[in-house]
Amino acid sequence: MLDQTTIAVIKSTIPLLESAGPALTQHFYQRMFSHNPELKDIFNLAHQRSGGQPLALFNAVAAYAKNIDNLGALTGAVERIAHKHTGFLIQPEQYHIVGSHLLATLKELGGSAVTDEVLEAWAKAYGVLATIFIGRESEIYQEKARQAGGWQGTRLFTIQEKRAESELITSFVLTPSDGQPVLAYQPGQYLSIKLTHPTLEYQEIRQYSLSDAPNGRDYRISVKRETQGQVSNLLHDHVQVGDHIAVMPPTGDFYLQTDRHTPVVLISAGVGLTPMLSMLNQRLAEPSDADLTWLHACEHGALHAFKEDIAAKCRQHPRLVSRVWYRVPAAGDQQGQDYDFSGTMTLAAVSERIDPKAHYYFCGPLGFMQGIKQQLLQAGIPTEQLHYEVFGPHQDL
């Protein structure tokens, strides 16, 4: 572990990091991609252009510096990032590349404040962190490989079914091309797919939540078409039934963790319903008398995915209650039939379903989740009963 002198030096650089802000990590990524362009086949370049990934990395670096003497506080973040890394097949040797560019960035941007002592301290600190990640990721790779239906690296899957769920969301059912069983997963986890195509400049890796309960035979992902999304548009427009896709084992640290006797409230907006569907279908398959609540928000009926599926489940399962918000109902949308409330989601409208004993899982746009978290905290729900997933680079709510 780190000695007290190194810890003191790292903490002394916190003002430098904060003054640089995300510009530090933007410079880091530009430098790394310039010197190691092969990494463009791994990183999601859309998140680079949006600034989401540099911001997420800056927050992680700053958090590491601030907790350098209490690494236990970072356990949750390490677990989340390690799962993400295995979804991109990150290997130990790539940590050396990242470390060299991180130190060079500090030297180039820090000026005279970044002395040899500072660089040596950060080299030691990065080495400790890299060892932690390499160890945990190795464990995850091995766990996935040795379980029934498991594998390491990529495995070829065939598009068995392609189905439009709304104007923007399409589901893809993937079956293993080798005909063998598939690895089980926790409801809420995601699948990583690797794509190459003449329309893509680089190999692209994307992660999509699994949108059904595990069955040992196949996987289902449900993908929203993004206006500027190269991969989502490729999947919607070009990938067809019978095509093959390289798939990594399912992973992720966001999943249903309550026992079947605990009330659960699943809250989503837009395509954020995908991990909720996996949780819902798993929970409905289990014997339970606990309340199960489905709260969903979308723009209008044409964008309301899985509407008939949820309605059918409510008819089959009396303990399941669904409430839906349309932000701007279309002319043909009928309140009481297609949706329950107009406008944005307000939990006060369903106060009878806000159980202090329940656990709450939510996913959707960042602003939506921030609002939901605030409403739940105001309703007296303890933080430890709130669970959420951010699509893309992680951000705290």
Side-chain angles (χ1 to χ4, degrees), residues 26-84:
Q26 288 172 352
H27 181 90
F28 158 78
Y29 278 118
Q30 291 168 1
R31 190 183 202 286
M32 185 173 68
F33 290 140
S34 174
H35 288 79
N36 295 92
E38 72 277 7
L39 295 181
K40 292 181 179 180
D41 281 331
I42 297 175
F43 285 84
N44 184 334
L45 298 184
H47 291 156
Q48 300 296 326
R49 291 188 290 270
S50 71
Q53 188 59 53
L55 176 61
L57 178 60
F58 171 76
N59 289 336
V61 171
Y64 183 48
K66 291 175 182 177
N67 292 280
I68 196 70
D69 52 352
N70 179 28
L71 296 185
L74 301 177
T75 300
V78 167
E79 186 69 5
R80 180 177 62 251
I81 295 169
H83 278 275
K84 284 283 187 182

Side-chain angles (χ1 to χ4, degrees), residues 266 277 280-281 284 291-296 304 306-324 336-338 340 353:
L266 305 173
L277 282 165
L280 175 69
N281 292 345
L284 289 177
D291 286 343
L292 186 56
T293 304
W294 175 269
L295 306 179
H296 181 62
H304 188 178
F306 295 94
K307 179 174 72 174
E308 297 303 326
D309 180 48
I310 298 299
K313 286 179 167 61
C314 287
R315 291 191 293 270
Q316 297 165 6
H317 302 275
R319 63 190 174 94
L320 172 62
V321 170
S322 168
R323 296 290 182 266
V324 174
Q337 179 175 326
D338 300 309
D340 301 286
R353 305 300 298 185

Side-chain angles (χ1 to χ4, degrees), residues 47 49 53 66 125 176 193 202 219 236 250 259 289 372 378:
H47 291 156
R49 291 188 290 270
Q53 188 59 53
K66 291 175 182 177
I193 63 173
Y202 303 102
Y219 297 132
H236 277 250
D259 63 52
D289 56 0
I372 292 300
Q378 289 174 349

Side-chain angles (χ1 to χ4, degrees), residues 82-105:
H83 278 275
K84 284 283 187 182
H85 283 178
T86 62
F88 288 99
L89 299 180
I90 299 299
Q91 299 301 310
E93 58 269 20
Q94 291 163 335
Y95 279 93
H96 173 72
I97 296 173
V98 169
S100 65
H101 290 298
L102 181 60
L103 293 176
T105 295

